[in-house]
Amino acid sequence: MTLEEIRANQVADLNDEEKAFLAEHKAELTAEELTTYGLAEPEVPETPETPGEPETPEVPEPEFQRRLKRHSLRKSKQVH
């Protein structure tokens, strides 16, 4: 049995032996033939990249931190 003999037949007329032969020789088939004979690998869609870790907020500038701390201390003194 050869690929040429099988190619001469209609796909619906292929028997199990011929289908197995095609599967064994699929490297020798064109992309169109692979699709025709149902041997093409299904296209796997690319998985989107998973989002990375969320960005960490920027650390406030030292001057801002100092003012924030001073403000917090004033607030805590007012409460008492």
Side-chain angles (χ1 to χ4, degrees), residues 50-77:
T50 55
E53 301 253 339
E55 290 186 30
T56 56
E58 289 186 28
V59 176
E61 297 175 12
E63 176 64 23
F64 180 76
Q65 289 177 342
R66 185 175 60 75
R67 288 182 182 185
L68 184 61
K69 186 176 181 181
R70 188 181 327 146
H71 180 73
S72 297
L73 288 174
R74 286 183 188 161
K75 287 264 186 185
S76 64
K77 287 181 182 178

Side-chain angles (χ1 to χ4, degrees), residues 8-23:
N9 297 327
Q10 295 294 319
V11 176
D13 296 336
L14 297 177
N15 61 36
D16 290 339
E17 183 182 351
E18 291 168 325
K19 290 176 185 177
F21 183 85
L22 283 172

Side-chain angles (χ1 to χ4, degrees), residues 7-8 28-29 37 57 60 63:
R7 286 176 175 136
E28 300 169 48
L29 300 174
Y37 296 122
E63 176 64 23

